[in-house]
């Protein structure tokens, strides 16, 4: 059964989709019920060129309370309240120490920021900046029941065979918990494209992949090196629903056929759009695909920047179906 882009976003929005996690796996399983999806699994500790697949992370209880039991923050009220990949802690801490581990966004004082430390081994909470004034005592009980264990990083791949083995690879990341525009908008557009291109004949083979950002691309490419010479062009998709013009970030090569075709289609379809060279608009998985040693020309399409970026305000309220469809139609053409 097919799925609309908005249905997908509503369904997967609040899953705790951290880079190696049950929530990520659940999101991929759900997508796999809508399109033919091969799920690759790379175990924790597996080398991916110079990187290593991290452990699976999960969190049960996470809260901050005063010593007399008044709860100031609880992950049950919002998944972003605990920093992704936080270490566990069960301790009474002084306010000064707590504040070193409390992340806020002063530019957006009513929103909870998205914070992650996948590789730095630290603990942390995220809270609305304006709520810091509620911390009037000197000591707090802090609890984060997080678990690190051996697991497997997952990459979802949908291949639509063409007449040629030469392929076009389109990538979206799926690892941002409880947010919509970054990154479910790209995920949804790519699922929709996969649905539309099924059962049609094509010259090129299409490879659509959903990854945890950066490490997922490294895992996929390092375990499929023989595919790299066949990947002729790539497109990275994300942040496609917010109210900003589309932005084309060129490949590192900058003047491939794909760069020129994208510019032409954007001009024709959307009139006003922005254009920037490689790494000048936003950095994502094209850094890996178009990076040294791989070097597949990969453009990115987004509507970056937007003020709700990496906060709890990145919600359904800031995206529109029309803007998702406009982005999808550009890519389809
Ligand atoms: Zn992001």
């Amino acid at each position: 059964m097919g799925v609309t882009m908005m249905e997908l976003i509503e369904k997967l929005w609040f899953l705790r989709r951290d880079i190696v996690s049950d929530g990520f796996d659940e999101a991929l399983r759900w997508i796999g019920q809508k399109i033919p999806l091969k799920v690759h699994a790379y175990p924790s500790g597996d080398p991916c060129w110079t990187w290593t697949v991290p452990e699976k992370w999960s969190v049960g209880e996470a809260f901050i309370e005063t010593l007399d039991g008044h709860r100031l923050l609880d992950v049950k009220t919002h998944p972003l309240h605990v920093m992704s990949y936080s270490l566990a802690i069960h301790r009474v801490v002084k306010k000064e120490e707590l504040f070193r581990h409390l992340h806020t966004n002063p530019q957006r004082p009513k929103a909870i920021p998205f914070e992650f430390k996948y590789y730095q081994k630290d603990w942390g909470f995220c809270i609305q900046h304006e709520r810091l004034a509620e911390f009037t005592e000197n000591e707090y009980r802090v609890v984060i029941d997080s678990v690190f264990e051996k697991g497997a990083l997952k990459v979802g791949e949908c291949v639509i065979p063409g007449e040629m083995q030469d392929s076009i690879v389109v990538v979206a990341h799926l690892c941002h918990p409880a947010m919509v525009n970054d990154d479910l908008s790209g995920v949804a557009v790519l699922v929709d494209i996969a649905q539309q291109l099924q059962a049609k004949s094509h010259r090129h083979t299409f490879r659509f992949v959903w990854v945890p950002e950066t490490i997922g691309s490294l895992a996929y490419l390092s375990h499929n090196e023989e595919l790299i010479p066949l990947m002729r062009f790539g497109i990275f998709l994300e942040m496609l629903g917010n109210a900003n013009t589309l932005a084309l970030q060129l490949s590192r090569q900058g003047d491939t056929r794909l760069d020129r075709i994208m510019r032409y289609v954007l001009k024709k379809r959307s009139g006003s759009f922005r254009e920037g060279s490689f790494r000048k608009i936003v950095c994502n998985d094209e850094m890996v695909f178009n990076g040294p040693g791989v070097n597949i020309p990969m453009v990115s399409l987004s509507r970056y920047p937007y003020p709700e970026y990496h906060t709890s305000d990145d919600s359904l309220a800031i995206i529109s179906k029309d803007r998702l469809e406009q982005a999808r139609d550009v890519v389809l053409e």
Side-chain angles (χ1 to χ4, degrees), residues 201-221:
S201 56
H202 308 283
R203 198 155 161 268
H204 284 88
T205 292
F206 294 124
R207 288 182 187 281
F208 302 141
V209 288
W210 292 265
V211 295
E213 186 173 358
T214 310
I215 184 65
S217 292
L218 284 156
Y220 174 71
L221 289 168

Side-chain angles (χ1 to χ4, degrees), residues 163-184:
E163 292 160 32
M164 304 167 25
Q165 284 213 308
D166 286 22
S167 60
I168 294 172
V169 57
V170 192
V171 183
H173 63 61
L174 178 58
C175 58
H176 284 33
M179 283 167 286
V180 166
N181 195 43
D182 180 15
D183 51 9
L184 286 181

Side-chain angles (χ1 to χ4, degrees), residues 1-5 8 31-38 156-161 168-172 185-202 205-210 237 327-329 331-333:
M1 279 303 287
V3 61
T4 69
M5 294 189 277
L8 180 145
I31 292 170
Q33 292 165 3
K34 309 298 171 189
I35 54 170
L37 197 68
K38 176 165 189 201
E157 183 191 40
C158 173
V159 180
I160 303 179
I168 294 172
V169 57
V170 192
V171 183
S185 69
V187 170
V189 167
L190 188 50
V191 168
D192 202 64
I193 288 168
Q195 288 181 148
Q196 303 224 18
L197 295 181
Q198 296 291 330
K200 288 187 188 155
S201 56
H202 308 283
T205 292
F206 294 124
R207 288 182 187 281
F208 302 141
V209 288
W210 292 265
L237 299 176
R328 175 201 62 197
D329 293 343
V331 179
L332 279 172
E333 181 168 353

Side-chain angles (χ1 to χ4, degrees), residues 22-59:
D22 291 334
F24 189 96
D25 295 355
E26 194 181 329
L28 267 192
R29 256 196 311 276
W30 193 83
I31 292 170
Q33 292 165 3
K34 309 298 171 189
I35 54 170
L37 197 68
K38 176 165 189 201
V39 177
H40 302 270
Y42 306 106
S44 302
D46 224 26
C48 305
W49 294 326
T50 58
W51 291 49
T52 306
V53 175
E55 289 182 298
K56 175 180 149 186
W57 182 80
S58 46
V59 64

Side-chain angles (χ1 to χ4, degrees), residues 311-331:
T311 73
S312 53
D313 286 346
D314 185 337
S315 70
L316 269 179
I318 69 161
I319 68 159
S320 87
K321 177 171 163 284
D322 288 353
R323 290 190 290 264
L324 295 178
E325 287 175 355
Q326 184 195 34
R328 175 201 62 197
D329 293 343
V330 164
V331 179

Side-chain angles (χ1 to χ4, degrees), residues 152-286:
L153 179 153
K154 306 288 168 48
V155 171
E157 183 191 40
C158 173
V159 180
I160 303 179
E163 292 160 32
M164 304 167 25
Q165 284 213 308
D166 286 22
S167 60
I168 294 172
V169 57
V170 192
V171 183
H173 63 61
L174 178 58
C175 58
H176 284 33
M179 283 167 286
V180 166
N181 195 43
D182 180 15
D183 51 9
L184 286 181
S185 69
V187 170
V189 167
L190 188 50
V191 168
D192 202 64
I193 288 168
Q195 288 181 148
Q196 303 224 18
L197 295 181
Q198 296 291 330
K200 288 187 188 155
S201 56
H202 308 283
R203 198 155 161 268
H204 284 88
T205 292
F206 294 124
R207 288 182 187 281
F208 302 141
V209 288
W210 292 265
V211 295
E213 186 173 358
T214 310
I215 184 65
S217 292
L218 284 156
Y220 174 71
L221 289 168
S222 65
H223 290 80
N224 290 286
E225 285 184 348
E226 72 288 353
L227 294 178
I228 295 172
L230 297 171
M231 292 180 179
R232 302 301 302 277
F233 299 107
I235 304 175
F236 179 82
L237 299 176
E238 150 182 291
M239 306 192 258
L240 296 167
N242 61 294
N244 196 350
T245 52
L246 284 166
L248 168 65
Q249 178 175 277
L250 301 174
S251 70
R252 196 156 71 85
Q253 290 78 353
D255 62 348
T256 67
R257 272 175 70 203
L258 179 65
D259 291 284
R260 297 195 299 272
I261 291 167
M262 287 291 285
R263 182 186 291 132
Y264 168 80
V265 174
L266 277 161
K267 234 177 231 166
K268 192 175 77 164
R269 283 193 165 264
S270 64
S272 69
F273 71 98
R274 293 165 292 132
E275 182 181 307
S277 53
F278 194 66
R279 299 181 65 176
K280 288 297 187 289
I281 289 177
V282 66
C283 292
N284 280 289
D285 295 88
E286 77 288 340

